[in-house]
Amino acid sequence: MILIFSTTLFRKIIYLGVTLITVFCLSYILSNQTPFSGDEFYTLDIKKIYKPIPYQYFVSEVIDSINEIKPSHIFNLRFTSVIFTCVGVLLSILFFPKTKLELSLLSILIITNPFILSMSILFRYYSYYFMSSILAFILLVIKFDRFNLKTKIFIGSIGSIGSIFYLYVLNALQFGFALLKSIIMELVTDLRIRRILITALFLVFIAF
């Protein structure tokens, strides 16, 4: 049973390839059936979108490469969103599933998820936020507790400041609260006080 459900890197690569190809094909089909509208027109004026900086730079390069934007260029523009979605999918498949069953379920969930597909065909920064949220989740939930306090303080501080410019403003809050929670867990020895502080921290996070 363990052998059947063990997840090797080779198996992940196969599932990843099938999932990414499927996401790309579905995004292409849905994009051709979806008119360019709404917030997508605002993204064309990319110079007014200052953050996230990587998104602004990447999309600016794509827009500048098109001399005169025509209906035939719609998927070229939306392909930027497809790329960010695919990076988020890649991170999810590489870090989340631990068994073959989990890997299969995650791949099916991604392929059949209308939210993920809708982000991929929208020329807006939502797919970038999807990618950044996956990255933050990996760092804060899967990896964060493995580090010592000094490393946590470094990652939490850099993540809180850097997220404002390079990821998503809510990611800054996530890094900040993860850091505060780790400091409380490390420095406060009284369990009752620790519970009170963590509960208060959780309520403040919800309020934001």
Side-chain angles (χ1 to χ4, degrees), residues 17-181:
V18 172
T19 304
L20 292 180
I21 291 173
T22 304
V23 169
F24 173 81
C25 293
L26 290 176
S27 297
Y28 180 77
I29 294 171
L30 292 173
S31 177
N32 289 337
Q33 298 175 353
T34 306
F36 197 81
S37 61
D39 290 342
E40 292 182 292
F41 287 106
Y42 293 105
T43 310
L44 289 174
D45 195 3
I46 191 63
K47 293 182 179 179
K48 291 185 178 180
I49 300 177
Y50 303 104
K51 296 177 288 187
I53 294 174
Y55 177 85
Q56 200 271 353
Y57 175 80
F58 183 67
V59 174
S60 293
E61 291 295 313
V62 173
I63 293 176
D64 291 341
S65 67
I66 304 175
N67 294 326
E68 183 180 352
I69 297 176
K70 300 177 182 179
S72 59
H73 296 130
I74 289 178
F75 186 72
N76 292 15
L77 297 173
R78 288 173 171 170
F79 186 63
T80 57
S81 297
V82 177
I83 289 177
F84 294 130
T85 297
C86 287
V87 173
V89 170
L90 184 149
L91 293 173
S92 299
I93 290 180
L94 289 181
F95 286 94
F96 294 161
K98 301 300 182 184
T99 67
K100 181 181 178 181
L101 178 61
E102 291 177 359
L103 182 57
S104 301
L105 291 176
L106 179 60
S107 298
I108 294 172
L109 178 63
I110 292 172
I111 293 172
T112 60
N113 193 314
F115 177 70
I116 294 177
L117 293 175
S118 64
M119 288 189 304
S120 300
I121 62 168
L122 187 64
F123 183 51
R124 200 64 172 161
Y125 37 63
Y126 305 128
S127 62
Y128 186 88
Y129 291 160
F130 166 73
M131 179 195 72
S132 68
S133 296
I134 295 295
L135 179 60
F137 186 90
I138 292 171
L139 289 174
L140 298 178
V141 177
I142 299 178
K143 300 292 185 181
F144 202 65
D145 288 337
R146 302 178 184 180
F147 303 123
N148 57 41
L149 183 58
K150 289 184 179 180
T151 306
K152 288 179 180 178
I153 292 174
F154 176 78
I155 294 175
S157 301
I158 296 298
S160 297
I161 298 173
S163 293
I164 298 175
F165 302 98
Y166 296 97
L167 296 179
Y168 183 36
V169 66
L170 288 181
N171 297 140
L173 292 176
Q174 292 168 347
F175 275 98
F177 280 104
L179 174 59
L180 290 176
K181 179 252 185 184

Side-chain angles (χ1 to χ4, degrees), residues 156-204:
S157 301
I158 296 298
S160 297
I161 298 173
S163 293
I164 298 175
F165 302 98
Y166 296 97
L167 296 179
Y168 183 36
V169 66
L170 288 181
N171 297 140
L173 292 176
Q174 292 168 347
F175 275 98
F177 280 104
L179 174 59
L180 290 176
K181 179 252 185 184
S182 295
I183 292 175
I184 292 172
M185 294 294 291
E186 292 280 349
L187 301 182
V188 179
T189 56
D190 190 301
L191 291 179
R192 186 174 61 87
I193 297 177
R194 183 190 292 177
R195 291 194 189 101
I196 293 173
L197 291 175
I198 291 179
T199 302
L201 188 65
F202 178 71
L203 293 175
V204 171

